[in-house]
Amino acid sequence: MLLVFNGGGGVAEKLQKLKSSSRGRLIILFNLSPRELVSLLDRTHLFVSLSSEETFSVALLEASSRMVPTISTRHYGALLQIVDRQSGVLLSDEALLSLDKAAAELKSFFTDVMNRKYDVVEMGKEAYRNAKSKFLLSDEDLLNKWSDVVN
């Protein structure tokens, strides 16, 4: 079974058609509240984003902030957020062009996890450390940064 989150955008209609032909093997959740999203992410083992449209990749940051390792295509914000094979996995450029290629790369990664080449729990912790150091600021840090800008 595959669970897909979608906030809307250009693929929403295509996902609905795919869902209706999946015979119950595909679950798609649209427009989740922040509380619902956090609750689901806290029960998620791995977050996969095959998007080429998210400039900053907020969804990856949300997953990383909950210690969920991420897998993504090599685009925009994903390149800033994921340290390949440490805090997640960056798929090849070809994965954007072919769902078969993306599936093959995901299968290879999952095989490596099963063979204990990668520890997804440690990847999740590294994803959180990476997100926190680059993007998540405490209230005090945020005020200090604004103070630096103003002064």
Side-chain angles (χ1 to χ4, degrees), residues 58-119:
V58 172
L60 293 176
L61 185 56
E62 290 168 335
S64 295
S65 74
R66 306 307 296 178
M67 292 192 198
V68 178
T70 55
I71 296 177
S72 179
T73 52
R74 295 176 184 268
H75 70 280
Y76 310 115
L79 294 171
L80 295 172
Q81 295 181 43
I82 297 174
V83 178
D84 196 26
R85 310 293 176 185
Q86 291 178 27
S87 61
V89 176
L90 290 167
L91 299 174
S92 71
D93 292 334
E94 292 81 30
L96 266 177
L97 305 174
S98 163
L99 195 54
D100 289 338
K101 177 67 175 164
E105 288 185 36
L106 289 171
K107 181 179 179 184
S108 173
F109 172 72
F110 292 131
T111 300
D112 288 345
V113 168
M114 297 304 292
N115 291 327
R116 302 202 189 304
K117 185 174 179 181
Y118 299 109
D119 181 337

Side-chain angles (χ1 to χ4, degrees), residues 1-2 9 15 22 37 44 47-48 50-52 54 62 70 72 76 93 98 105 118 123 125 133 136 144 147:
M1 183 178 306
L2 179 62
L15 283 172
S22 74
L37 179 61
T44 299
F47 187 90
V48 180
L50 298 178
S51 174
S52 62
E54 273 199 84
E62 290 168 335
T70 55
S72 179
Y76 310 115
D93 292 334
S98 163
E105 288 185 36
Y118 299 109
M123 274 188 167
K125 290 176 183 176
S133 71
L136 305 176
N144 287 336
S147 179

